[in-house]
Every structure is written in structure tokens, then in C-alpha cells.
Amino acid sequence: MAVAIPPFHAHVITAKLKVPARAKALQEAQRHLEEVLKRLEQQYPPAPSGVTITVAWGLPYFEHYIPRLGKSSSYFDAGTPYPMYLPVDVTTSKELGRTVYALQRSRTFPSDEPPSGFGPIRLEDNDVAVLLRSDSITKILDVTNTLFGTRDGQAGGLFKVTSIRRGFTGGGHTGQQGLASKLATQAGVPGAKSIPRLSPIFLGFTTTLRDAESSTPVSNFETFPGWTDQWPNGYFKQGTIMPLSHLFEDLVAWYSKDFPTFEERIHAMFRPGISFPPNTITADPPEQNEADVLSDIEKFHAYGHNGSMQPVNRLQQELTSNYGHVYPVNTAITNRGDFATLDNPFHYTSDPVGNHYSKQPAPGLHFLLFTPTTEIFNRVRLAMDGVLPGGKSAPFSPRSSGAGLNSVMHTTHRQNFLIPPRSRRSFPLAEFLT
């Protein structure tokens, strides 16, 4: 099986802007940030040997800093107000009979449950998030310092950092102990000794099968006809949406309390009734459609985490892209970018009380996805809770052990971001302000 090997380390830094909400100040910030980014990319090649830098923008940025476009262009008329310049989710707009944008505010889902005493899930309002990926933590820290430091030639004067989220994945493919097992054991977190030695994540299975990832650029706005309005000449063409979440993972519940046997974990992760050789880490799960999931719910009173999402997360019919490429049935629509973490819930937060910050390591997941629209993520996430696209729902609690692995996950934070095309990653749309 073909498996993607992501960089070992990933950090996400979220921030609010310190730039005045004025055209000249934003345009100067746009030039400065782009200069810093280009200088960093001259210094470091892309990951894994160097650092891959991804800049994403939240709705608060567009709402507060780009209230109206003052200049006309081939993309927009002068005077276009927020949010009318954002990519439109054409498919969902037609279904609902109103305009729905590709970037939406984050929401909660039926199985979302923060830890006891944590309080409601925090739906965040950051202006920007920067994702850094590399095999070298040292290089990531150097890039972080340049982007968020305040010396000459650095860009930190533009931002007030709200969180730093650090994590890791992989390592076991080399035959050495995987980072998940190694770092969790070193931290002494409960359940760490049960993590398979070669597993790339805490829960024991490979999550980066090539067949389960979209073929570039399926997750972009413009790839398929009628999905958004960014083809052929959208300002955000070649961009995408990035939902970002933090979840705690209960390793004791996963490996002993709720799913004590390997067979039970296979069923919860993939599909009830199937089997793999003991200690399998990289499994080739069966393709499943909505009828398969409903059949499992009726027969086993359960469904698998992976299988429940396939009716939404994969093409249900062959499609030809705007670029002329034919994508077969079951092609994945989204790309995962998540990574394991011992943050509790973040490595750093500007609001330690509100975010329940602790120095005590806690196994979890910084989950992020690349998807053409927020609504696709919402529907995938609802399917994970047994709410299927045809309108039918599982007749049991989405927190039960029959609902995949929902019972061992505890969500704490969510926010959705828009990743512009690379040429417009620095303060998008600021050039149209007057």
C-alpha cells in the first residue's frame, strides 16, 4: 500500500493582528510579511529537509480589516463589501436557496464533548494561523522566531500571538520507535505503554494512505465544476479551507476500557465485522458507501470511524475536473494535515485561564484538514457522528462505543481558516483597499 510520509514535526501559531485597520498600514504590512516569507523560503527549501510555510486567514480578518474593497479589478467591483468577495459555495447555495460562502464560522457537532470541568468548546476568533512543517524542530523554531520576533527584518510587530500548538507524527516507518510511542512514554501519560511501537499516531493505525488522500488539487476551490465560483478567474483560485481543532485522546479508554481488544479497535476505526492480522498498523480498509454504513448500523448497532465518513469524504461518482483530469469513484476529496500532540491544550496560550492551560502533558490531536468548502467538512464531521448525507441517522448516541472512536475523543477548540493561493498569502485583498 502506498503511504504518504508527512514531516515529523508540525507547529501551528495563531495570532491576532496589531496592524491598524487602515489601507496604507495594511498594504505596508502586506509588503513586509511577503518580504519576510520570501527570505525564509530562500533560506529553507520545502519540508521535509527544510520548512513548509502555510498562511491561513480567519473570518475575523476579513470582517474587521477588509470591510469593503475600494478599488475595482478583474475580480471585484469597487465597493464590494464583506463577505461578498469571499469564495461562494455554489453547491450548498443552490441546495439552501441562499448564498453560502466557502469559509464559514466554526460550529459544534453532536459528539463534541470537552473534558469534565473544561467548559464549552471554544469557537476561536483568530485573525491568522501559520502552519509550519519540517523534519527539523530547530528549523521550525528559527522560522517561528523570524515570523513572530520583533527585531529588524522580523515580522512579529504585525502580530499578537494567541497560541503555539506543537506536535509530531510518524517515525516508525524507519523501523525505529515511532514518535507517538516514544514521546508519550517519555512523558509518562496514562496508556502510553499500549501504543504500538511503530505507530505514527497515538491510536495505533496509519492514517495517511495515498488512497485516502485527495490527488492535488482536488481540495482546491476551483477543481470541480460547480463546487465554488473560483473557476476560471477567482481571486482565491488554488486556495482551500483549513478547519483547525484540538482534541484530547483518552488512551486508557481506547486500549483497555472501551476497546480492550485489537479486533474491537479495528471495528471502531474501520468497520464492524472485518478483521486484519494481529498488530496490523497499516491496514487497507474496505471502501464503503452509505448503504454499507446503514447495513452495519442495523446488523452490528455500530459503525466504523473511517467508513462512516467515506460517503461524504469521497467522490460518489466519476468526475472530470476543470483541468480535464478524470477522477474515479471513491477519490478522496480532502487532505489531512493533523498531528499528535502532548500539548494541554496548547504549548503556549495568551489566555491560560480561558484555555485551561496546564504544563502536565496530555495526549491529543491538533486536527487540520484541507477541503474545498467548510460545508464539506461539516458534513464529514456529521457523518462521523452517524448523521449521514441521505438524511438518516444512527439510532444511538454519537458518544457511545458503537459510534467509531468518538467516545475516546474530547474536543476543546475549533476555528475555520481560508488558505489563499501562494501569490496572495500575505494580507489577502489589502491591495484593493483605499
Side-chain angles (χ1 to χ4, degrees), residues 300-366:
F300 299 102
H301 203 66
Y303 56 83
H305 169 75
N306 176 277
S308 67
M309 298 182 289
Q310 287 190 23
V312 188
N313 197 33
R314 299 194 181 191
L315 294 181
Q316 299 303 293
Q317 59 183 1
E318 181 183 283
L319 286 180
T320 302
S321 76
N322 283 315
Y323 296 100
H325 185 83
V326 177
Y327 290 92
V329 174
N330 284 314
T331 297
I333 298 168
T334 62
N335 289 102
R336 293 181 61 153
D338 53 284
F339 48 96
T341 187
L342 292 166
D343 289 351
N344 192 357
F346 305 140
H347 173 76
Y348 162 82
T349 170
S350 62
D351 182 13
V353 175
N355 285 321
H356 294 255
Y357 169 78
S358 172
K359 293 182 179 180
Q360 182 69 33
L365 188 74
H366 290 305

Side-chain angles (χ1 to χ4, degrees), residues 16 41 88 154-155 163 170 198 213 240 274 294 301 319 333 338 368:
K16 294 188 177 181
E41 289 177 337
V88 173
Q154 299 179 331
S163 76
L198 302 181
E213 296 287 305
T240 190
I274 67 170
L294 291 171
H301 203 66
L319 286 180
I333 298 168
D338 53 284
L368 57 92

Side-chain angles (χ1 to χ4, degrees), residues 410-428:
H410 302 275
T411 307
T412 66
H413 295 74
R414 292 193 187 281
Q415 187 176 356
N416 300 322
F417 295 87
L418 184 154
I419 300 174
R422 187 175 181 276
S423 61
R424 300 190 172 103
R425 61 188 171 179
S426 298
F427 290 83

Side-chain angles (χ1 to χ4, degrees), residues 4 22 38-39 44 103 133 135 247 324 337 362 375 381:
R22 297 193 298 269
K38 287 182 176 178
R39 192 165 64 248
Y44 294 116
L103 177 62
R133 292 182 284 189
D135 278 354
L247 308 90
E375 187 59 24
R381 187 59 187 75

Side-chain angles (χ1 to χ4, degrees), residues 394-414:
F396 46 83
S397 168
R399 292 292 303 173
S400 72
S401 59
L405 47 83
N406 291 350
S407 63
V408 305
M409 291 185 169
H410 302 275
T411 307
T412 66
H413 295 74
R414 292 193 187 281

Side-chain angles (χ1 to χ4, degrees), residues 81-199:
Y82 166 85
M84 293 178 64
Y85 49 70
L86 291 174
V88 173
D89 179 342
V90 174
T91 301
T92 305
S93 297
K94 288 180 178 179
E95 290 176 359
L96 299 182
R98 59 179 174 82
T99 301
V100 177
Y101 294 97
L103 177 62
Q104 301 176 36
R105 297 191 186 282
S106 54
R107 53 162 289 183
T108 58
F109 298 93
S111 70
D112 279 346
E113 181 179 292
S116 177
F118 194 92
I121 292 171
R122 305 203 81 181
L123 303 180
E124 298 181 276
D125 60 353
N126 295 292
D127 292 320
V128 64
V130 178
L131 168 64
L132 305 175
R133 292 182 284 189
S134 177
D135 278 354
S136 168
I137 290 180
T138 300
K139 292 176 182 178
I140 288 180
L141 293 178
D142 182 59
V143 171
T144 300
N145 186 50
T146 301
L147 284 174
F148 298 98
T150 55
R151 298 199 306 267
D152 289 345
Q154 299 179 331
L158 307 175
F159 308 110
K160 180 185 186 303
V161 172
T162 55
S163 76
I164 299 174
R165 312 172 192 207
R166 297 182 177 179
F168 44 86
T169 187
H173 68 281
T174 65
Q176 303 296 313
Q177 185 177 16
L179 291 173
S181 169
K182 179 179 179 179
L183 297 180
T185 301
Q186 289 177 354
V189 298
K193 293 182 179 180
S194 298
I195 301 170
R197 185 175 180 274
L198 302 181
S199 174

